[in-house]
Amino acid sequence: MTLNTILLAVGPSDNDRADALAEAVVEVAKPTGADVVIAHVFTESEFAKTAKRLEFDEDADPDEVAKRHQTVRTMTKLFDDAGVDYTIRGAMGEHAAEIIDLATEVEADRVVVGGRKRSPTGKAVFGSVAQAVMLDAPCPVTFVRGENGNGN
Amino acid sequence: MTLNTILLAVGPSDNDRADALAEAVVEVAKPTGADVVIAHVFTESEFAKTAKRLEFDEDADPDEVAKRHQTVRTMTKLFDDAGVDYTIRGAMGEHAAEIIDLATEVEADRVVVGGRKRSPTGKAVFGSVAQAVMLDAPCPVTFVRGENGNGN
């Protein structure tokens, strides 16, 4: 019953809720002393686009691209301020499957994922990535709902 | 960024995963010193059935019925052993709405809910209660997947 490792899963739509995600992790990682693995998963096309924007080659190391990503940098600033230890991982592939593989590989005791409440059209949504991770992760999963720009 | 109160939401199908739910809570409540509110929500018919089985009147206090429920007793034993402080709440009504109301009332920093991976017919499922709680809870929600009796 000891919490040693938290996998914080980050995708391309998490920039708006980077603070909320990082805060939810700090609340648990700081008192437990758990290590955080920040995992940024890119699909192939997301990776190509992000690598280009950040002036990497297309065959760049996903870990290096993840480290430069704005969402990850927002989070690491909060972790540095809070004194929480972290490592950064990048991965390429299908989001849910890569998150589950990483959670298994790092023997995560908790996965933290983000999501939102409403689609741009106002419909209540629950993300398929978050749902797939919850159904198959090797450990409990914490869902952090971000604000969604329409006051809800 | 301090975690003071964890709402552990319990429903009628959580008996099989009571240990897993309680362990996920202890992992966080013990190092943070957070108080746990164990909330057992009954629909009206579940309440009538449970009250009768436990030899309460139908107009019994839901808090008292919750305290005698097997799932809750399994959890409190683990909390007692771990030295985690808790209170027990019973509520009657629609599961997700009652959980969200209680989370708001106790100013929960985290809600913990259970669920399973497969329906009895083997289909992947994600519970509508868990989903509704995630979309509307006032704080992050941790989902604990229980075993489901078919080896998955």
Side-chain angles (χ1 to χ4, degrees):
Chain A
M1 293 201 223
T2 308
L3 214 150
N4 296 312
T5 306
I6 299 171
L7 184 80
L8 169 51
V10 182
S13 53
D14 286 316
N15 202 35
D16 291 349
R17 52 187 171 243
D19 284 347
L21 278 162
E23 280 170 22
V25 170
V26 168
E27 283 174 349
V28 176
K30 197 175 162 69
T32 57
D35 289 325
V36 178
V37 178
I38 308 173
H40 200 304
V41 180
F42 306 90
T43 61
E44 280 190 40
S45 66
E46 285 163 4
F47 186 78
K49 200 171 136 188
T50 305
K52 189 176 174 192
R53 183 164 50 80
L54 296 175
E55 301 183 350
F56 281 97
D57 293 332
E58 275 211 33
D59 58 356
D61 181 345
D63 288 351
E64 296 304 316
V65 176
K67 281 177 194 165
R68 290 273 309 282
H69 198 284
Q70 184 59 48
T71 312
V72 173
R73 291 166 68 187
T74 300
M75 291 170 163
T76 56
K77 184 169 183 330
L78 269 159
F79 294 158
D80 286 333
D81 291 349
V84 165
D85 290 330
Y86 58 85
T87 50
I88 300 168
R89 297 286 299 266
M92 215 187 318
E94 196 267 311
H95 286 270
E98 292 294 330
I99 292 166
I100 291 160
D101 282 354
L102 278 166
T104 305
E105 182 190 326
V106 304
E107 300 182 0
D109 302 295
R110 204 66 98 241
V111 172
V112 178
V113 293
R116 60 189 174 156
K117 184 175 171 177
R118 295 190 188 284
S119 72
T121 58
K123 197 183 161 204
V125 294
F126 189 71
S128 59
V129 170
Q131 186 166 330
V133 170
M134 284 174 195
L135 287 173
D136 282 310
C139 63
V141 177
T142 299
F143 178 75
V144 179
R145 199 177 68 241
E147 296 305 320
N148 39 36
N150 64 358
N152 284 308
Chain B
M1 292 201 225
T2 307
L3 213 149
N4 296 313
T5 305
I6 299 171
L7 183 80
L8 170 51
V10 182
S13 52
D14 285 319
N15 202 34
D16 291 348
R17 52 187 172 243
D19 284 347
L21 278 161
E23 281 170 22
V25 170
V26 168
E27 283 174 351
V28 176
K30 197 174 162 69
T32 57
D35 289 325
V36 178
V37 178
I38 308 174
H40 199 304
V41 180
F42 305 90
T43 61
E44 280 189 41
S45 65
E46 285 162 4
F47 186 76
K49 199 172 136 189
T50 305
K52 190 177 173 192
R53 182 164 51 79
L54 296 174
E55 302 182 352
F56 281 97
D57 292 333
E58 275 211 30
D59 59 354
D61 182 344
D63 288 351
E64 296 304 316
V65 177
K67 280 177 195 165
R68 290 273 308 282
H69 198 285
Q70 183 58 48
T71 312
V72 173
R73 290 166 68 189
T74 301
M75 291 171 163
T76 57
K77 182 168 184 334
L78 268 160
F79 295 158
D80 285 333
D81 290 349
V84 165
D85 289 330
Y86 58 84
T87 51
I88 300 168
R89 296 287 298 267
M92 214 188 317
E94 196 267 310
H95 287 269
E98 292 294 328
I99 293 166
I100 292 159
D101 282 355
L102 278 166
T104 306
E105 183 190 327
V106 305
E107 300 183 357
D109 301 296
R110 204 66 98 241
V111 172
V112 178
V113 292
R116 60 189 175 157
K117 184 175 173 178
R118 296 190 188 283
S119 71
T121 59
K123 198 183 160 203
V125 294
F126 188 71
S128 59
V129 170
Q131 185 166 331
V133 170
M134 285 176 194
L135 287 172
D136 281 310
C139 63
V141 177
T142 298
F143 178 76
V144 178
R145 199 178 68 241
E147 296 307 318
N148 39 38
N150 63 358
N152 283 308

